[in-house]
Amino acid sequence: MLGNPTDRAGINPNAADSSMEEIFREDVEDKTQVQEKKKSIFKRKKKPHIPQQTVTSAGSTDLKCWAGLWSYTEPRFHGQECPGTDSAQAGRAAACQGCPNQGLCAAAAGPDPAEAAELRARLRAVRHTVLVLSGKGGVGKSTFSAVLAHGLAADEDKQVALLDIDICGPSVPKMMGLEGEQVHQSGSGWSPVYVEENLGVMSVGFLLSSPDDAVIWRGPKKNGLIKQFLRDVDWGEIDYLIVDTPPGTSDEHLSIVQYLSATHIDGAVIVTTPQEISLQDVRKEINFCHKVKLPIIGVVENMSGFVCPKCKNESQIFPPTTGGAEKMCQNLNVSLLGKVPLDPQIGKSCDSGQSFLSEAPESPAALSYRNIIQRIQEYCEKHHSQEEKSI
């Protein structure tokens, strides 16, 4: 029921018919205005401001992001078609300007021809290149890089180089016992700093006046230094180039993948710890590798339990509440290279700049490291043989 008209609209039920029609007409007009106002407010709140690029479907792609959403096919900007992630113009075409995924597409496409020629000339004598990655900081990535370099250089017939591209937190000089050393320049370029005759190191840490100096750089300057490390360092004949990266999937990672795509990359070793808070970021790193077409050699679970040096019992310092790296690798179809237990001697060796493999050769952690290093070598040799056959 509508109820008493006087209660509902404040009118006298005995009013003339013409007055009634006028009042009800005004009532309807007021309701229409309210509805239009509500629509206007809803329209403003429904969508955040997005730059004036129009997104339409234009085919499938393995890169999925636009306007903060990681899901789309291929965009068209101002009437121009996206060149696609497999195109040489990916990330460089006019249609790519303004796209938040421009850097990722450019990394997949590789450097421009002039840069590619320079990098190929400098790195032509590098046989294997291995990137050490992790989405999470503090998982022992630089420690693993240092141990990997020492382990590979244990074979005196192998020439090994360790490149530290963690621009803001270069810890490799300290771990390799090279703190305070400086880079020297010759006619053939910058000379690496050598730990041994067959193990050279390059890091921004050698360019700082003090190890406590902060490097406060934006992306372009970081990228320029990474390119300079690859292009201007006289690496010579190298069997293994190990690249230690900072955590995440940002400027440094895009740059190193882009520049090294001019030559070749055997693959990436991804380091994690057992707990889920680390694994959730490592999954992002694996996703990054797939998107930029970077092969994954495998995953290393660091700090995987603690073996008591007296009773030899193992304790889980970081419990694998979701199954650890093993379960993650099964779900994502990635190889698990091995698990390295916690060992206080690892930290001591890094602080003193010594090789952990030499300091504690019979420890469970050292044995695990050696097994992992052997698997990496086997992968690289197999990868190299496949490349030679394809040529």
Side-chain angles (χ1 to χ4, degrees):
M1 294 182 61
L2 293 176
N4 191 314
T6 304
D7 296 337
R8 181 173 64 84
I11 62 173
N12 188 337
N14 298 320
D17 292 342
S18 60
S19 299
M20 289 288 293
E21 290 176 2
E22 182 178 352
I23 290 169
F24 278 113
R25 183 170 62 251
E26 290 174 354
D27 189 29
V28 171
E29 288 174 355
D30 289 342
K31 288 181 179 178
T32 304
Q33 291 175 0
V34 170
Q35 289 175 351
E36 289 299 322
K37 190 172 183 179
K38 285 182 177 180
K39 287 181 181 179
S40 176
I41 293 171
F42 177 74
K43 190 176 293 184
R44 288 201 301 270
K45 289 185 176 181
K46 187 175 182 180
K47 294 181 181 179
H49 173 70
I50 298 175
Q52 296 301 309
Q53 284 100 339
T54 303
V55 181
T56 59
S57 297
S60 62
T61 178
D62 51 359
L63 294 174
K64 300 179 180 179
C65 83
W66 178 241
L69 301 176
W70 287 88
S71 178
Y72 82 118
T73 52
E74 301 224 345
R76 179 185 299 159
F77 303 131
H78 299 296
Q80 296 181 347
E81 293 284 351
C82 170
T85 57
D86 294 327
S87 169
Q89 292 301 309
R92 300 194 182 95
C96 301
Q97 299 302 316
C99 176
N101 217 48
Q102 184 177 5
L104 194 58
C105 289
D112 63 53
E115 282 183 344
E118 286 183 331
L119 293 170
R120 273 195 298 269
R122 177 59 80 180
L123 301 174
R124 64 182 181 275
V126 177
R127 192 159 183 256
H128 300 295
T129 303
V130 176
L131 271 59
V132 180
L133 306 174
S134 180
K136 175 65 74 177
V139 297
K141 178 170 37 56
S142 295
T143 300
F144 179 80
S145 298
V147 173
L148 176 59
H150 278 298
L152 293 170
D155 183 349
E156 296 180 356
D157 294 330
K158 301 293 185 185
Q159 292 293 325
V160 181
L162 175 56
L163 173 60
D164 178 12
I165 65 167
D166 192 342
I167 308 299
C168 295
S171 53
V172 165
K174 176 75 172 178
M175 292 180 174
M176 303 301 286
L178 299 174
E179 202 169 31
E181 296 289 339
Q182 294 182 342
V183 173
H184 299 283
Q185 191 165 7
S186 65
S188 56
W190 291 358
S191 297
V193 180
Y194 284 89
V195 183
E196 301 169 4
E197 289 187 3
N198 67 332
L199 176 54
V201 179
M202 180 54 68
S203 170
V204 71
F206 299 139
L207 307 178
L208 304 177
S209 58
S210 166
D212 296 330
D213 286 349
V215 179
I216 308 173
W217 288 356
R218 294 188 186 275
K221 199 165 185 180
K222 291 180 182 180
N223 300 342
L225 182 61
I226 292 171
K227 180 166 67 174
Q228 197 167 2
F229 279 157
L230 295 173
R231 184 191 62 198
D232 296 344
V233 174
D234 183 15
W235 294 107
E237 297 279 341
I238 290 181
D239 292 291
Y240 290 95
L241 174 63
I242 311 301
V243 182
D244 180 39
T245 67
T249 56
S250 192
D251 291 322
E252 295 92 334
H253 311 81
L254 291 171
S255 294
I256 196 68
V257 172
Q258 176 182 356
Y259 297 142
L260 287 176
S261 65
T263 54
H264 76 281
I265 308 175
D266 288 79
V269 175
I270 300 176
V271 182
T272 186
T273 49
Q275 71 272 37
E276 176 59 25
I277 198 67
S278 174
L279 295 172
Q280 66 181 5
D281 287 341
V282 170
R283 292 187 191 97
K284 297 181 180 71
E285 196 76 39
I286 292 172
N287 188 254
F288 165 84
C289 292
H290 292 325
K291 287 177 177 175
V292 298
K293 298 179 176 60
L294 175 61
I296 299 174
I297 298 174
V299 174
V300 174
E301 185 177 85
N302 211 9
M303 309 182 199
S304 181
F306 171 70
V307 179
C308 177
K310 293 184 178 180
C311 68
K312 304 302 180 184
N313 286 333
E314 184 175 352
S315 303
Q316 295 297 328
I317 307 299
F318 301 108
T321 54
T322 57
E326 186 171 0
K327 182 67 174 178
M328 180 193 70
C329 289
Q330 291 174 357
N331 293 339
L332 299 179
N333 194 27
V334 177
S335 297
L336 177 64
L337 296 175
K339 301 179 181 181
V340 181
L342 279 164
D343 190 325
Q345 184 58 47
I346 297 175
K348 293 178 182 178
S349 297
C350 288
D351 283 348
S352 63
Q354 302 297 317
S355 169
F356 170 72
L357 298 177
S358 300
E359 296 284 297
E362 301 302 322
S363 66
L367 297 176
S368 180
Y369 273 131
R370 287 195 177 92
N371 288 334
I372 292 169
I373 292 169
Q374 183 178 353
R375 292 192 64 181
I376 293 172
Q377 287 178 297
E378 290 172 353
Y379 175 95
C380 290
E381 290 300 328
K382 182 179 179 181
H383 186 258
H384 185 70
S385 299
Q386 290 175 345
E387 283 190 339
E388 287 183 336
K389 288 180 180 178
S390 63
I391 295 173

